[in-house]
Amino acid sequence: MAYIFPCFLCLSFLLILSLASASPPFTITLSLSPITHSLASTNSRDHVSDIAKFTIQRACHLKTPHKKPSPVLHGSAQTPLYPKSYGGYSVSLAFGTPPQKIPLVFDTGSSLMWVPCTKSYTCDNCTFSHINPNKIATFKLRRSATFRIVDCRSPKCEWLYESDVRARCPGSRPQPCPTYLMQYGLGSTSGRPITENLDLPGNIVVEDFFLGCSVYSVQQPQGIAGFGRAPASLPNQLKLRKFSYCLLSHNFDDKPKSSALTLIGTKSSCAGRVHGVKYTPLLKNPSKSPYDEYYYIHLTKITVGESKTKVKLPSKFLVPSPNGNGGTIVDSGSTFTFMDPALYGPLIKEMAAQTRNYKRVHDVEVQSGFGLCYDILDARNVSFPRLVFHFKGGVKMELPVANYFSFMTDLGVWCLTIVSPSSPAGPSVPVGPAIILGNYQQQDFYIEYDLEHQRLGLKKQKCK
Ligand SMILES: *[C@@H]1O[C@H](CO)[C@@H](O)[C@H](O)[C@H]1NC(C)=O
Ligand SMILES: *[C@@H]1O[C@H](CO)[C@@H](O)[C@H](O)[C@H]1NC(C)=O
């Protein structure tokens, strides 16, 4: 059912908003740690390997040119991803003829592609940044020669309404596919389904691309580029074999620095293989909508500290049950990783037991929504226990300390950047995904969604 997308952007927005109440949003001032501090000597080697990568990418592109417009991507394309002050990453895509470039939230946790559309686009409660207040770029329908209203009988209309489509499109006369209303937790958007040309870097034109033309939204910093698993998502429309990214560490500002989002399509001579990547299977959720559009992976355990102490996690939360609840999803649209209280409790307990050198500040924890915060007077030499997520297939995600402990400027303390609903005793069974791996924990990892082989590739890497 496409109406209710419990997108998890909302949770992150809430957190950012609550933290951003005093001017600038919190910044991460330093990431001194034994784990992250070995970069100086590897710089020149990294540079050479970068050049090698660019050369291969260029060869890929030259060998599989994309001459004619097509509804799918042949070959490959790259486009920049920008960390944003609202806590997500933004990708700019160009739609229409002539092309209009529109920045969108890059979201692997939802599937509809939609743009703020027409001059009369209205957005309520959409100011997310003190640095760059509300100026939302809109797609001007009237200036494009190629947009089409989606017809009710088009298979694309069924992407939105699934089996409901017949009830919504009575009779057999041509009529527009009905207006959509998408709920993203607190926020929402509504508009009309259209098709347009999508222009990708490298003179690639994808025609007949399904897109929402939204005229009214609540709590949306930008439109959304849905990279989820439902048919309407960009990867499925373009029939991508894989896509990958490496998220730059973000400071919740809007500096124009970026890293690449790589899209590998059909017939690409470029496998996009990156050395040293480890793979874990992408699981299908046994239940239907909305959970089947998320990228599930199997977290097998979490270990803490040098002694690699295993956190005691209730196993029924780790894999989706037949009714679809439980399991871990990867979501670029969430800022901080979310954990069900049943998993969060034991993690906090172990982390706190191994962090004895700093003073815990319970009052700040209650007030901020972060579950583990420390007052550290001498911030020149901060260290926390090692944190490793283990996934099926022997894949280890050893997090850089900066990915899970940050100095919160507004609060004046250091907090674990993994969050959970505040009630200490959550439900005894999970509802929806039990863990949502947010973009903050994905920083400085190469992450590859290998759709062809239904697996997720991970590699620790300094993104540039
Ligand atoms: C906008 O935010 C205010 C304050 O949080 C709230 O009262 C109002 O209902 C919101 N507006 C919409 C349209 O959601
Ligand atoms: C940092 O802390 C470690 C362990 O607590 C200590 O051995 C080291 O001397 C400290 N370094 C500085 C510069 O304070």
Side-chain angles (χ1 to χ4, degrees), residues 10 83 101 130 138 195 202 229 287 323 336 380 387 463:
C10 47
K101 208 166 192 179
H130 294 263
T138 61
T195 58
R229 287 167 114 176
S287 90
N323 60 19
F336 302 122
R380 282 169 305 177
L387 179 62
C463 311

Side-chain angles (χ1 to χ4, degrees), residues 15 18-19 363-371 373 411 415:
L15 277 163
S18 66
L19 287 164
D363 53 330
V364 177
E365 291 170 4
V366 171
Q367 153 208 339
S368 69
F370 290 102
C373 297
L411 305 171
C415 297

